[in-house]
Amino acid sequence: MDATASVAIETVYWALDGGIHHAKCSQRMVLTARDSQELSFSCLACTESVRLPLAAVTRVAVAT
Ligand SMILES: [Zn+2]
């Protein structure tokens, strides 16, 4: 796991509604692209985008 991946994991979380949320602004992110290696999410609130490697998806924290 490289440094970029660990950053992506920490900037997003799974919400109880099943969507990826941006940790910084607690807003739902939309999936903008996907390929065999990673998913790309865009935050509707701050327009930041996060690239999440597929291998890291299961390591994303789940909101409680
Ligand atoms: Zn955001």
Side-chain angles (χ1 to χ4, degrees):
M1 199 60 66
D2 62 27
T4 304
S6 60
V7 168
I9 292 169
E10 291 169 5
T11 53
V12 299
Y13 65 90
W14 290 110
L16 295 178
D17 64 4
I20 284 275
H21 281 57
H22 201 197
K24 191 169 74 176
C25 32
S26 300
Q27 295 300 309
R28 185 164 188 159
M29 304 187 82
V30 293
L31 182 65
T32 54
R34 66 183 298 172
D35 60 29
S36 59
Q37 296 298 313
E38 65 182 18
L39 303 175
S40 295
F41 292 93
S42 179
C43 178
L44 296 176
C46 68
T47 69
E48 230 174 75
S49 60
V50 173
R51 292 160 61 201
L52 187 64
L54 288 179
V57 168
T58 57
R59 295 173 55 198
V60 171
V62 178
T64 54

